[in-house]
Amino acid sequence: MKIVIAPNAFKNSLPAAGVAAALEEGIRLSGYAGELNCCPVGDGGDGTGSLLAQYLGAAILPAAVADPLGRTIDASFGWVRETATAVIELADASGLRLLLPEEYNPLVADTTGCGQLMKAALDQGAGELLLCIGGSATVDGGTGILKELGLRFYDAQGGTLQQFPKDLVKLHAIDASALDPRLRNTRITILCDVKNHLCGAKGAAAVFGPQKGAGVDDVMLLEAALQQLRQVVMQYGGKDMDALESGGAAGGVAAGVAAFCNVEIVNGIDYFLKKIDFEQKLEGADRVVTGEGSIDHQTLEGKAPFGVAMMAKQKTIPVIGVAGRVPETTDPELQACFQWLFSINDQPLPIEEAIRQTHPNLVKAGIKIGREVQKQTAAVASSV
């Protein structure tokens, strides 16, 4: 028997590698003695960059950057010298995890630090940037990044805008003449795990603003700022930032960077699995275990467990899904993806308690999986 353990992170609790390790521990405790292959995955969300850097054997290079509120912090990026590829985790510089809850303020939090990481990578000689944009603290349309890369933003009087994104409602003109010329020969691949457009009811401000501390009035101001940015960019660059699927990812970073740079936006999990040659890791597998904090119908829109399940199903390998939360009612489409889908919580828990219990509950889930696999294997053997 061979089991491949390929989970995503459990948000706010355990990184993907920690989830895989807990499941492995439980499966071994069940008495399972077969082969186990731990292969934690990412779909563009926070933590994807560090995983990619590990799989690609990247060196970790330090860089001093601004956090979302402008304070200097130590960050880093992955560097693959052989291919001149930099792996950049936006959240390392502009992530929500860098702030205390009482500091969440998407009206003034910006992506300047991520832009500084990108410049550091260009200084290193990067010809390709792999940009993982999950976990941002920002809804700035990527203007912090673009400012660092040389764009200038002006109001109607010709004054330079100072604070992003809230000052964007006064945006009147953009000057791209000083955009870093190295970007013309640099490929930027953005890994996304959402399909939201920049503006509107399902856009960056409305959907992601409240997650980052925006109240009702703040969401309205952020929406107005992004709409104004969109209009001015169309006037000066000819691109409609709102036309881009996934453009609203990371508070509009995807749309903003794509408007001025050589960008390809990709489905994060599909790109990740191909990059690490996950198909080869599935060779000879009898079961695949995947999961993340929540598995529901939205998972089918391209989240990590769905990508893992689809690749396994192509090889007719049964897939077991585990999550902190699963639908209470049967979802036929999820059933088609997962042979077995269950919550690691034996009973409903307050979210804070469920997060605290994630590791031990994953170990228990691993024991349950190990026993079930051995039971099924024994049943098949006895029927032969």
Side-chain angles (χ1 to χ4, degrees):
M1 287 291 294
K2 175 183 174 180
I3 299 176
V4 174
I5 304 173
N8 195 9
F10 274 48
K11 191 174 181 180
N12 299 321
S13 180
L14 280 180
V19 175
L23 288 167
E24 179 184 30
E25 179 183 349
I27 293 172
R28 286 299 185 205
L29 287 172
S30 76
Y32 172 84
E35 182 180 350
L36 286 176
N37 185 351
C38 285
C39 183
V41 301
D43 56 13
D46 192 357
T48 301
S50 60
L51 281 176
L52 263 183
Q54 292 173 34
Y55 281 118
L56 297 177
I60 305 301
L61 303 185
V65 302
D67 79 354
L69 299 179
R71 301 168 298 202
T72 301
I73 59 170
D74 294 324
S76 62
F77 63 94
W79 176 245
V80 185
R81 182 179 59 82
E82 294 77 10
T83 57
T85 299
V87 183
I88 295 174
E89 185 99 70
L90 178 145
D92 285 348
S94 309
L96 199 62
R97 59 176 158 82
L98 301 175
L99 305 179
L100 298 171
E102 57 267 26
E103 294 178 320
Y104 293 2
N105 188 350
L107 292 178
V108 298
D110 70 28
T111 52
T112 294
C114 183
Q116 292 169 338
L117 278 181
M118 294 169 70
K119 283 179 64 176
L122 292 173
D123 292 343
Q124 190 66 31
E128 180 180 22
L129 306 181
L130 301 182
L131 186 56
C132 305
I133 61 174
S136 82
T138 59
V139 188
D140 74 342
T143 49
I145 290 173
L146 294 170
K147 180 186 66 177
E148 280 300 310
L149 296 178
L151 257 69
R152 295 294 175 262
F153 301 87
Y154 300 105
D155 61 24
Q157 289 73 45
T160 302
L161 299 186
Q162 299 298 320
Q163 196 160 51
F164 300 109
K166 73 174 186 178
D167 282 356
L168 287 174
V169 292
K170 299 182 289 186
L171 181 64
H172 181 75
I174 294 175
D175 180 3
S177 62
L179 186 67
D180 195 317
R182 296 174 295 183
L183 291 166
R184 287 195 290 268
N185 299 312
T186 304
R187 300 188 311 277
I188 302 176
T189 302
I190 297 180
L191 280 66
C192 285
D193 63 348
V194 300
K195 296 182 179 181
N196 304 68
H197 287 251
L198 180 69
C199 302
K202 295 184 179 180
V207 175
F208 304 121
Q211 300 172 12
K212 303 171 186 186
V216 175
D217 291 341
D218 298 333
V219 168
M220 293 176 63
L221 180 56
L222 289 167
E223 177 68 18
L226 295 177
Q227 290 281 9
Q228 183 65 15
L229 175 64
R230 173 197 178 198
Q231 293 298 326
V232 176
V233 167
M234 281 197 291
Q235 293 170 20
Y236 283 79
K239 295 183 179 181
D240 184 357
M241 294 169 63
D242 193 45
L244 191 63
E245 185 177 67
S246 300
V253 162
V257 177
F260 294 95
C261 302
N262 177 21
V263 167
E264 180 183 10
I265 300 176
V266 298
N267 175 272
I269 187 59
D270 290 345
Y271 182 91
F272 185 96
L273 294 179
K274 183 177 181 180
K275 198 73 173 177
I276 69 169
D277 198 10
F278 186 68
E279 187 173 2
Q280 189 278 328
K281 298 178 190 301
L282 290 176
E283 289 299 324
D286 299 281
R287 298 285 191 285
V288 172
V289 182
T290 188
E292 63 181 357
S294 177
I295 294 180
D296 53 29
H297 202 78
Q298 289 186 339
T299 302
L300 303 173
E301 296 180 3
K303 297 290 187 178
F306 178 73
V308 170
M310 288 300 95
M311 189 169 286
K313 281 179 69 66
Q314 289 173 8
K315 295 180 173 292
T316 66
I317 305 169
V319 181
I320 300 168
V322 297
R325 183 172 56 195
V326 300
E328 295 182 2
T329 57
T330 300
D331 186 319
E333 291 185 68
L334 286 175
Q335 280 188 312
C337 295
F338 303 100
Q339 181 195 51
W340 184 20
L341 176 63
F342 67 96
S343 171
I344 64 172
N345 299 304
D346 292 329
Q347 58 188 8
L349 293 172
I351 185 64
E352 297 82 4
E353 181 63 19
I355 288 173
R356 283 194 295 269
Q357 295 297 322
T358 298
H359 181 272
N361 284 343
L362 280 166
V363 174
K364 292 177 184 177
I367 294 172
K368 188 183 297 185
I369 290 168
R371 288 173 177 170
E372 182 63 23
V373 168
Q374 291 171 85
K375 178 181 174 182
Q376 292 179 8
T377 304
V380 171
S382 65
S383 66
V384 174

